[in-house]
Amino acid sequence: MTAAVLFALLFLCMFMGMPIAIALGFSSVVTIYFMSGDSIASMGLKFIENLTEHYTLLAIPFFVLSSAFLSTGGVALRLIRFATAGVGHIRGGLAMASVLACMLFAAVSGSSPATVAAIGSIVIVGMVRSGYPENFAAGVISNAGTLGILIPPSIVMLVYAAATEVSAARMFMAGFIPGILMGLILMVAIYIYARIKGLPSLDRASAREFFSAAFSASGGIILIVIVLGAIYGGIASPTEAAAVSTVYAFLIAVIGYRDMGPLKEVPWRYEGENGLGAAFRNTRQMIVAIPMSFFSRDVQKVVLDGAKVSFMLLFIIANAMLFAHVLTSERIPHMIAETITQMGLPAWGFLIVMNILLLIAGNFMEPSAILLIMAPILFPIGLQLGIDPIHLGIIMVVNMEIGMITPPVGLNLFVTAGITGRDIVWVVKACLPWLSLLLMFLILVTYVPQISLFLPELIDSLRGR
Amino acid sequence: MRQFVDRLEEGVISLLLVAMTLLVFTEVVMRFAFNAGFLWIQELTLLVSGWFVLLGASYGVRVGAHIGVDAVVRLLKPEVRRVVSIVAVLLCLFYCGLLFVGSWEYLAKMYKIGLELDDMVFPKWIAHSILVIGFGLLILRFLELLWKIVKKEQDGFALADEAKEALEELDLRKQDRNGGADQ
Amino acid sequence: EPVTIKFSHVVAENTPKGQMALKFKELAEQRLPGKVVVEVFPNSQLFGDNKVLEAMLLGDVQIAAPSLSKFNKYTKQLQVFDLPFLFKDMEAVERFQQGPAGQELLNSMTGKGLLGLGYLHNGLKQLSATRELRSPKDADGLKFRIQSSDVLAAQFEALGAIPLKKPFSEVFLLLQTKAIDGQENTWSNIYSKKFFEVQEHITASNHGLIDYLVVTSNEFWSGLPDDMRTELDGAMKEAIAHGNKIAEEKAVNDRKRIADSGRSTILDLSDAERAQWVEAMKPVWDKFAGEIGQDLIDAAVASNN
Ligand code: NA
Ligand code: NA
């Protein structure tokens, strides 16, 4: 009964257009206030606990802020140039390069819509100009963009790790092979399609252009090395690495690429300036530029944009935890768990039920909120059935990827619709053939645990001597 | 005056985010390069994040930073939609009101017992007072929103979706690109 | 209408604490049929250790069992259990806890609204690190993860080591990548948290204690009818005894499992080596004698004989 009221209130509030955070929070506090014995003071306590006791979640604002620096500065543009120089000459190569660019960007950003926004806004137009059908281009990018949360770092994985106390670093490691595999599957599908339909190819990039592009993109690519190196090389935990990456992204945007801030338009070397002089000048300018960027309008704007997305997400999460708290204190997960356990499902059957449950949820809700609600329910059952917690996490992340491109609530759909200026129905149709690819991929990941577990287990065995 | 307060709010929120980042960054650098640590830094970072989120939440109502589903209300006739929106804002106010009262009672208890933070010698009720400040500000923002809807200045929550934002950014970048012809 | 007792803890159901909670539920509901319902919430499902005491004061949780270091901000007296090399073995711990001084400590927080119902054992702490810790100077300059406690910070500072506070969720990773060099914990925690897989050297130092305090709200407990309180108290005593027995077996088994894994080497200290550690860490006692009370420390020392 309580559960029915809780969910009914949630959906009612959501469809009334309330912010999702408050729809979650409202249904929770009302259920508590009117239907359970808990004090409302405990809601205040729970809220501050949600906000100040989850250190791992801090990685979210840090990655959001570093993404803000990267996509506002021209890092995304440079990654695309590099990817094009690499595979642009193959038939359908520009589309493949876009997928590759999405994979590269996914490896520095933790969010899927951010990936689509950063890469898609540039390449969809480029593909159409080079003679690709627009719906093809839109479909490819919306799908490849979902890799943002599968290839580490990933905000969604951090949320899963926080909800289940599984190691975030192991989750990150586990995402690598599935992420690359999905990228490859997309590329193969593009290649087949390109052969059949006769899609265009670009001229082979000169070695000079390739290396120049690689050099220009290296600032962005080094970030991947820094984040992963810091985590796996023993300097920092994922949360700390996220903070380090934010500081790096700021430095690369303001000092390195000079896309914003006090050094904007200031060249590394003026014409006719001698090397030593330029070195002195640059050093002096950099030292001044770092404190001065606090007063720079465009740096301020990037930070404020990052802040908006960050507090919005953390506020949703704090309320989703309140929702989860009500679920647990009313023992609803236990009841669903008992129902599913009493169904006597074997592991494979449970996985089907779980996937269906998550896909339905993915239609309506944001991944972090879904995981915060569902993971505590599904995790213990999965463990009981002998499913590896890391494998379970990857399955959930792939489900969340699909949720990004399913209507009515699919952030990638919205971004793509915005970029192309088309309506949602058109975008949904464009994504449909690629969606079926993702569904096949989900089945593959679900029933071949080795795809997810190979890398973490390999690293364990290497470390285990 | 109003504009000054707005700018101040934006500045404080941005500074809190920057402070969080620099606190964690400092911790890593101190540990890695100087073999030193601070026992209070984690608690302080999390506290700053709490203030950041709750101050941000009310600011977010003003600038429409919160995401939501407005696909359904968009199907409604304007008058019906206005009524639905008014009801929705009233529900939001109810949520804020309950949490405001709950937070007040919680803080009062902490004050009465005189409990301190775990790692810092500082009263808990002051450190956590952002609960009543945050929900108090949210109440003000929603009252303001309610007034605007009643006066027909706004027809619902000005919900941002990430798509719209990405678009705006794209437009900016296009302008940049068209403006700077030398790329 | 039966009285509902919410028992909130932060570990899995198959641990000594988890088993103790379930035993209490079984006994309480059996002895007071229809009068009491005990709901056990494991795995921090309801509240984490840092907030559960506050929830108890608000009346939303009735029983919890956080580790003794979590009561720092409620009473300084319980810090006595954090002092290094205070007890020579678990028998001494038990004698002290069951003796008059230990029983009086249960009432030390009634002013803040909390009442101790009994002590639940985890065990004695061992030191682990990336290098062998044979004498105290081996720990010099190493970074150790500690629970939030002034005494424990002072203990590592006395060794010339750097105490760090990190959330439990990140400790394994930081140890694995050697961002943190060592930590202190009981055999069962080192085993269950898999720290032995990433720490090559464990010194069987038995230098300190991790125990839990089963605690309730004063207001709730004194509000119960007398006969009910007596029954619940009896059930709790029995459940704690049950949990302690499991904890004792677990400590022995987990030490053996760690040794058998071959992932870490276990170093037993000779009497002379142990004396060096005692000498290095014992100055901490004086530092906190004022806050804790010298008579309490003396009573604890006396329990060793
Ligand atoms: Na990513
Ligand atoms: Na969706």
Side-chain angles (χ1 to χ4, degrees), chain B residues 92-106:
Chain B
C92 288
L93 279 166
F94 185 74
Y95 156 88
C96 297
L98 269 185
L99 273 167
F100 182 86
V101 174
S103 302
W104 186 274
E105 286 178 9
Y106 164 63

Side-chain angles (χ1 to χ4, degrees), chain A residues 105-111 147-154:
Chain A
F105 196 80
V108 292
S109 116
S111 133
L147 290 174
I149 56 167
L150 184 57
I151 295 178
S154 159

Side-chain angles (χ1 to χ4, degrees), chain A residues 435-449:
Chain A
L435 177 64
S436 61
L437 222 54
L438 260 183
L439 283 171
M440 272 159 41
F441 179 64
L442 173 63
I443 296 171
L444 195 69
V445 165
T446 304
Y447 292 106
V448 189

Side-chain angles (χ1 to χ4, degrees), chain A residues 234-318:
Chain A
I235 301 167
S237 68
T239 316
E240 295 171 342
V244 174
S245 87
T246 310
V247 173
Y248 174 81
F250 161 76
L251 291 177
I252 198 77
V254 171
I255 305 280
Y257 289 146
R258 303 181 173 185
D259 294 319
M260 63 179 79
L263 290 183
K264 195 172 179 177
E265 317 280 300
V266 176
W268 282 93
R269 192 166 172 181
Y270 288 109
E271 245 172 277
E273 192 179 18
N274 72 47
L276 199 64
F280 271 122
R281 178 181 57 80
N282 277 300
T283 315
R284 195 188 65 235
Q285 283 176 333
M286 281 182 215
I287 293 169
V288 178
I290 292 174
M292 285 312 285
S293 32
F294 275 93
F295 304 100
S296 151
R297 287 301 288 270
D298 41 3
V299 174
Q300 283 175 353
K301 187 181 176 302
V302 171
V303 174
L304 189 62
D305 284 346
K308 281 185 202 163
V309 179
S310 300
F311 67 63
M312 183 267 288
L313 284 174
L314 290 176
F315 192 57
I316 292 183
I317 290 173

